[in-house]
């Protein structure tokens, strides 16, 4: 499927090298298509180059290939299932709106299942947010009078809780979250990051250990760089081993301000 705003030729390479790009996420998302033989040749070449230098992604692709072999063997030994009937499918809608904050305007999006996107408008504009939501198979639409009650209520609650957080009256968020389209690896990283308490710090290596992949510190950093819900999922609390601040998609100035708000200090 071609996504809006992405050229079909070498789109993985283009996306992986763009601003805020996270190659491991792109690689993991492309692996099923590679195993099935549906990946564009240019994208397949980029994926193979990436896994040749990334041990973690290499292991993931190897696991996909082994699973495909086992499934093929099972089909050969048993009766092949009837061809699946593909029915038209409607993409879920993600309704987005702006929200002011002390660190600049934020763009938020919510589906019927929960808050699904939060980004700094100074870093990503509306068009890029639309593209990011489309990559996760959402139909992005601006919030307005026609917004259904559930996503509308989620956007209102998110704005209220963010205001409380910046006003020093809230230390954790209580919102339904929708992680549709996020890879399993990234989801495990986000879940571990969400458990880091207010005002505390964890390292990329520590998050990697929490998810049972102690050698995947770099992949953890890449996954957090595409955290769809910064602040709410507090990737600003994850820093480099040895006391360095690490990176931050919205810029280090915002990361430093969030840590200062929480009273967290680097070693």
């Amino acid at each position: 499927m071609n996504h809006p705003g992405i050229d079909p030729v070498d789109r993985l390479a283009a996306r992986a090298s763009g601003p805020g790009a996270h190659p491991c996420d792109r690689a993991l998302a492309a692996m099923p298509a590679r195993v099935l033989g549906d990946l564009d040749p240019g994208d397949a070449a980029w994926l193979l180059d990436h896994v040749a230098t990334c041990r973690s992604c290499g292991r993931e692709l190897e696991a996909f290939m082994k699973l495909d072999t086992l499934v093929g063997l099972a089909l050969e030994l048993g009766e092949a299932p009837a061809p699946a009937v593909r029915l038209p499918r409607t993409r879920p809608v993600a309704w987005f709106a702006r929200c002011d904050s002390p660190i600049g305007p934020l763009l938020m999006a919510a589906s019927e299942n929960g808050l699904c996107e939060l980004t700094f408008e100074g870093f990503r504009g509306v068009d890029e947010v639309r593209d990011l939501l489309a990559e996760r198979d959402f139909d992005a639409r601006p919030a307005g009078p026609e917004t259904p009650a559930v996503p509308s209520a989620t956007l209102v609650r998110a704005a209220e809780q963010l205001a409380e957080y910046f006003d020093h009256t809230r230390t954790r968020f209580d919102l339904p979250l929708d992680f549709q389209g996020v890879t399993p690896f990234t989801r495990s990283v986000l879940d571990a990051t969400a458990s880091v308490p207010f005002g505390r710090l964890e390292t990329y290596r520590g998050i990697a250990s929490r998810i049972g992949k102690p050698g995947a510190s770099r992949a953890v950093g890449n996954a957090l760089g595409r955290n769809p819900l910064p602040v709410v999922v507090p990737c600003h609390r994850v820093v480099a081993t040895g006391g360095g601040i690490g990176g931050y998609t919205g810029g280090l100035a915002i990361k430093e301000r969030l840590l200062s708000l929480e009273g967290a200090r680097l070693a």
Side-chain angles (χ1 to χ4, degrees):
M1 180 178 67
N2 292 337
H3 298 302
I6 304 176
D7 292 332
V9 179
D10 292 341
R11 61 176 180 269
L12 278 179
R15 282 294 191 185
S17 60
H22 310 292
C24 290
D25 261 9
R26 303 292 179 193
L28 287 168
M31 287 179 190
R34 166 62 181 170
V35 171
L36 294 173
D38 293 337
L39 199 60
D40 177 87
D43 289 346
W46 175 88
L47 176 61
L48 292 177
D49 286 342
H50 174 77
V51 299
T53 58
C54 177
R55 183 179 301 176
S56 177
C57 287
R59 287 196 296 265
E60 294 290 343
L61 181 58
E62 183 179 1
F64 272 112
M65 299 297 289
K66 288 180 179 178
L67 178 61
D68 181 63
T69 300
L70 291 173
V71 171
L73 179 61
L75 291 177
E76 290 176 5
L77 295 175
E79 182 178 352
V85 178
R86 294 181 178 269
L87 299 176
R89 183 176 63 84
T90 302
R91 292 190 301 166
V93 177
W95 303 89
F96 64 89
R98 285 186 176 85
C99 171
D100 291 329
S101 83
I103 56 175
L106 305 173
L107 287 172
M108 304 185 300
S111 69
E112 288 285 348
N113 294 322
L115 192 69
C116 55
E117 189 73 36
L118 174 64
T119 193
F120 310 101
E121 190 174 11
F123 180 75
R124 288 191 173 108
V126 171
D127 288 342
E128 187 168 0
V129 170
R130 285 180 181 270
D131 286 346
L132 291 172
L133 288 168
E135 286 181 11
R136 294 172 59 197
D137 209 25
F138 284 111
D139 177 8
R141 300 181 190 177
E146 73 283 6
T147 305
V150 172
S152 180
T154 298
L155 290 171
V156 171
R157 286 179 60 193
E160 292 174 345
Q161 293 190 20
L162 283 164
E164 293 167 356
Y165 170 81
F166 287 114
D167 198 35
H168 302 272
T169 59
R170 175 174 289 275
T171 59
R172 64 182 303 274
F173 292 89
D174 180 21
L175 296 166
L177 305 179
D178 187 349
F179 289 108
Q180 172 182 295
V182 171
T183 65
F185 175 80
T186 295
R187 178 62 189 272
S188 68
V189 170
L190 297 178
D191 287 344
T193 300
S195 68
V196 180
F198 180 93
R200 302 287 294 276
L201 299 177
E202 180 58 280
T203 64
Y204 299 107
R205 182 182 298 173
I207 295 294
S209 295
R210 289 188 187 207
I211 64 173
K213 297 181 181 292
S217 298
R218 180 175 297 180
V220 166
N222 288 334
L224 290 180
R226 179 55 192 105
N227 175 9
L229 296 169
V231 185
V232 174
V233 176
C235 55
H236 58 276
R237 297 174 193 160
V238 184
V239 298
T241 302
I245 192 171
Y248 197 65
T249 298
L252 293 184
I254 290 180
K255 185 171 186 176
E256 290 171 346
R257 189 163 180 183
L258 293 173
L259 292 177
S260 175
L261 180 150
E262 297 185 11
R265 296 186 179 184
L266 298 172

